[in-house]
Amino acid sequence: MAFGNFDTICNITSLPLCSVVGSVNETSYFTRGIVPDCYARSVELANTMVFQIGNAFVHFGGLLILLIIIFNVRAKYTAIGRTEMLFFFYLIICLIVSSLVVDCGVSPPSSGSYAYFVAVQLGLASASCICILYNGLLCFQFWEDGSRKSMWSLRVICFCWFLVNFIVALVTFKSWDTALDSRKTMAMFVITYLINAIILAFYVISQIVLVVFALDSYWPLGAILLGVFFFVAGQVLTYEFSDDICRGASHYIDGLFFGSACNVFTVMMIYKFWDMITVDDLEFSVANVEHGVTAFGGDDEKRGSTIFS
């Protein structure tokens, strides 16, 4: 496989972008799009054709899990990086919704809008990568978390990286430039895959450094390593074993099903890691307010939590 083209990848797995890129070796039967050797069959529901039905259930489950995570994050009123982590999880929700649109055929691959939705999906995935790196560096407390300056810096950085990936992907899909067209995908591959992989690697390294040199407990290291395991497993299942999974499951699911599930577990581990390394300084006070504890003690006072310095 030549560096930067998707021929081999798209022959194995049915990525959304495979429907809007061209085959470099012209092995595809279509003028646009590369059809994989095996892909999950579609299902007709209420006179509507739904693609990747198994993947759809994973996305809906992921949305439910993210709503629970956001509720728990919002409850940690004074935890470091709380507002920035909420922004990350909101981005992940947007990414899952965009994945539902392109994976399940809400915007069919034959429609003119499909390339725009795929570009949005790639842009949101990239914005999520740069956002989690920002949150990882925030834990070192180089700048004040939760401030207006911090939040606007995060929004601008994420928007700019989203815009770069969106424009490069869209120009590539639409063949609006001679240097970037559906058969010249090296720039998109480098920006969307290679640079984002480096960003995620920097995040993991920074968090390992944080645990080893700044924290008293090594338990959070297990959460971050589990997150790495699920993420790598998802990529391997999606890009290497999708064809085998599809044939073994009689076309009901393919590698995207397990890749999406592993990504949900990865996000869960990111939340668990952040939850383990942050402490809500006002948990005792908030618990007392919720239980109606009197200011001067007395018979009605009940201690619901303990403060550890």
Side-chain angles (χ1 to χ4, degrees):
M1 181 186 71
F3 179 78
N5 74 68
F6 291 90
D7 285 45
T8 302
I9 293 175
C10 290
N11 284 330
I12 297 174
T13 184
S14 56
L15 295 175
L17 63 85
C18 293
S19 298
V20 283
V21 296
S23 175
V24 174
N25 300 319
E26 297 184 357
T27 57
S28 176
Y29 295 105
F30 305 96
T31 58
R32 188 184 73 163
I34 305 173
V35 180
D37 295 331
C38 182
Y39 51 89
R41 66 181 69 186
S42 56
V43 177
E44 186 176 357
L45 295 175
N47 295 325
T48 302
M49 194 65 67
V50 180
F51 303 99
Q52 294 285 350
I53 188 68
N55 208 23
F57 282 109
V58 173
H59 289 321
F60 283 120
L63 288 174
L64 179 61
I65 291 172
L66 278 166
L67 291 176
I68 296 173
I69 289 175
I70 288 174
F71 175 81
N72 291 330
V73 173
R74 290 174 64 90
K76 297 191 70 171
Y77 299 99
T78 61
I80 294 176
R82 169 179 172 270
T83 311
E84 288 81 359
M85 282 303 297
L86 282 173
F87 186 79
F88 168 72
F89 291 123
Y90 291 145
L91 276 179
I92 296 296
I93 286 180
C94 294
L95 175 59
I96 291 178
V97 172
S98 67
S99 297
L100 275 169
V101 171
V102 296
D103 288 347
C104 302
V106 178
S107 175
S110 59
S111 65
S113 62
Y114 185 78
Y116 292 90
F117 282 112
V118 175
V120 167
Q121 183 196 32
L122 295 177
L124 288 171
S126 301
S128 300
C129 292
I130 200 71
C131 182
I132 194 58
L133 176 60
Y134 185 96
N135 277 275
L137 298 177
L138 185 67
C139 293
F140 291 92
Q141 296 183 304
F142 293 134
W143 58 87
E144 183 180 359
D145 65 290
S147 63
R148 181 176 299 179
K149 181 179 179 180
S150 176
M151 286 306 302
W152 275 108
S153 298
L154 176 60
R155 291 171 185 142
V156 170
I157 291 172
C158 291
F159 177 75
C160 290
W161 192 231
F162 165 85
L163 199 61
V164 169
N165 283 265
F166 174 79
I167 292 175
V168 171
L170 189 60
V171 171
T172 301
F173 298 152
K174 292 293 188 179
S175 301
W176 286 339
D177 187 79
T178 55
L180 296 174
D181 61 35
S182 60
R183 286 188 169 87
K184 298 176 182 177
T185 56
M186 181 183 294
M188 185 181 70
F189 182 86
V190 170
I191 293 175
T192 303
Y193 280 79
L194 187 59
I195 295 181
N196 283 330
I198 294 173
I199 290 172
L200 292 176
F202 270 115
Y203 167 74
V204 173
I205 293 171
S206 68
Q207 300 314 286
I208 293 175
V209 170
L210 177 70
V211 172
V212 173
F213 295 102
L215 300 181
D216 297 329
S217 174
Y218 288 101
W219 284 110
L221 192 61
I224 197 66
L225 292 179
L226 269 177
V228 173
F229 168 78
F230 283 123
F231 180 78
V232 173
Q235 302 307 301
V236 172
L237 290 172
T238 300
Y239 294 101
E240 291 294 333
F241 297 105
S242 180
D243 186 75
D244 297 331
I245 294 171
C246 179
R247 296 182 190 279
S250 301
H251 293 256
Y252 284 103
I253 58 174
D254 56 18
L256 284 181
F257 174 84
F258 292 101
S260 299
C262 287
N263 288 339
V264 172
F265 285 122
T266 301
V267 173
M268 290 170 63
M269 289 300 103
I270 290 174
Y271 160 70
K272 186 61 180 177
F273 174 78
W274 175 82
D275 184 62
M276 294 173 72
I277 66 174
T278 55
V279 177
D280 194 341
D281 296 330
L282 295 181
E283 282 181 337
F284 178 74
S285 300
V286 172
N288 285 345
V289 170
E290 291 177 347
H291 288 85
V293 178
T294 58
F296 297 98
D299 296 335
D300 295 332
E301 184 176 9
K302 295 181 181 179
R303 299 296 182 185
S305 59
T306 305
I307 297 179
F308 295 94
S309 58

